[in-house]
Amino acid sequence: LSFENQKLEIDVGLHIGSFFAVITYFRKDIFNFVKNKGLFTKILLSSLPVMIVGYLLVKLNLIEQLRNVKIIGWTTLVFGIFLYFSDKCETRKEIKDNFTFKSAFIIGLIQILSLVPGVSRSGITITGGRFLKFKRYDSAKISFLLSIPTLAAVSIFGFNNLLVSENFNFSILILLSVVFSFVFSLITIKYFLDYIKKFSLNIFVIYRIVLGVVLILTAYL
C-alpha cells in the first residue's frame, strides 16, 4: 500500500486489535484466572522476562540494530528447523496438570528470543512447549495465553508514547488497523487451534524454511 515508514499509531492499533482478539477468544480462561490465581501467576511470570528485556532493548536503542534482512532470514530458517524437531517430541503433557512454575519460567525465558526480528513470538513459545513435551494444542494455548500480558504491555507502552508525542492524530486508518487486526487475529486463533488438533506443524516448518532461504539469498546475492 506504498507505506514507506509505518507509523507508531498503526503499530499500536494492530497490537490493540490483537489484544482484544485474544481476550475475546479466551474469555473463559481469563475468567478462570480470577478463580485460579495459580494459572494467572504462572502466565505473568512467563511474560516478565520478555517485557523486561524488551523494555531495555528499546531504552538502549538496540532494536533497530537487529532489524535487517540477513538476521531475519537466518532466524526464520533456523527457528523453522527448531520447530520441526520440537514437533517430533513425545507429547503427553497438558496445561491443567503439567503447566508448573518451572515450565512457565522456562517458556518465559525462551520467549525472549522473539525480540529478535524473524523469531515469531507464537512460534518460539510453541517450540518451547513442544520441547517440554506439551501437546500441540496445549503448546499453542500456552502461547496465546502468554500473549495477553505481553500485548497489554506493548499496547499501553505504545499508547503512552502516542500521548506524550506531539504528532498523534487519530484517523480512520488507525481505527481500521484495530478492527482488521481484531477480525483476522480472531479468525487465525480459531482455525489455527482447529488445525493443530488434526495435523502436525510441518506446513509452518516448510513455510519458514522456504521464506528463510529466499531472504538469505536476497540479502547475500
Side-chain angles (χ1 to χ4, degrees):
L1 297 175
S2 301
F3 282 171
E4 294 183 2
N5 186 14
Q6 186 169 301
K7 293 183 178 180
L8 177 62
E9 295 98 305
I10 304 300
D11 277 337
V12 174
L14 293 172
H15 283 123
I16 291 174
S18 297
F19 174 68
F20 283 129
V22 177
I23 291 291
T24 300
Y25 191 88
F26 292 103
R27 57 191 180 277
K28 292 182 180 179
D29 295 277
I30 294 169
F31 177 71
N32 285 335
F33 284 169
V34 179
K35 297 188 294 183
N36 186 353
K37 294 181 180 179
L39 177 60
F40 175 80
T41 304
K42 291 168 190 174
I43 294 298
L44 187 59
L45 173 67
S46 291
S47 303
L48 285 177
V50 72
M51 288 193 284
I52 293 171
V53 176
Y55 179 79
L56 292 175
L57 287 177
V58 170
K59 285 300 180 182
L60 295 174
N61 294 317
L62 296 177
I63 288 291
E64 290 302 320
Q65 297 181 29
L66 299 173
R67 293 172 69 90
N68 64 74
V69 177
K70 290 181 180 179
I71 289 179
I72 294 173
W74 281 111
T75 52
T76 300
L77 174 62
V78 170
F79 288 100
I81 295 172
F82 281 162
L83 180 62
Y84 171 79
F85 284 109
S86 72
D87 200 39
K88 300 303 177 184
C89 290
E90 177 187 356
T91 57
R92 60 176 183 270
K93 294 183 179 180
E94 298 179 351
I95 294 178
K96 61 179 180 180
D97 298 318
N98 306 108
F99 190 52
T100 62
F101 279 100
K102 180 180 178 181
S103 60
F105 185 67
I106 291 173
I107 294 175
L109 291 178
I110 292 173
Q111 190 177 209
I112 293 175
L113 293 170
S114 66
L115 295 169
V116 181
V119 182
S120 161
R121 192 211 61 81
S122 58
I124 196 63
T125 48
I126 290 173
T127 298
R130 296 292 286 144
F131 272 129
L132 291 176
K133 303 187 187 307
F134 281 94
K135 295 178 180 179
R136 289 191 187 99
Y137 179 85
D138 290 86
S139 296
K141 190 172 181 179
I142 289 171
S143 176
F144 284 122
L145 290 176
L146 286 183
S147 74
I148 294 173
T150 307
L151 284 173
V154 170
S155 299
I156 292 170
F157 181 76
F159 193 68
N160 179 66
N161 285 345
L162 286 179
L163 291 179
V164 299
S165 170
E166 297 179 357
N167 300 319
F168 174 55
N169 291 307
F170 184 81
S171 67
I172 190 66
L173 188 59
I174 298 173
L175 181 60
L176 287 175
S177 70
V178 174
V179 172
F180 285 139
S181 177
F182 172 80
V183 170
F184 288 112
S185 294
L186 200 58
I187 292 172
T188 300
I189 294 169
K190 173 178 170 50
Y191 287 103
F192 176 70
L193 290 175
D194 287 343
Y195 176 88
I196 61 173
K197 286 180 181 178
K198 305 172 184 176
F199 304 102
S200 72
L201 296 170
N202 285 344
I203 188 172
F204 304 102
V205 172
I206 294 170
Y207 160 73
R208 289 187 66 92
I209 290 176
V210 171
L211 178 60
V213 170
V214 170
L215 291 174
I216 290 170
L217 291 175
T218 301
Y220 287 96
L221 296 180

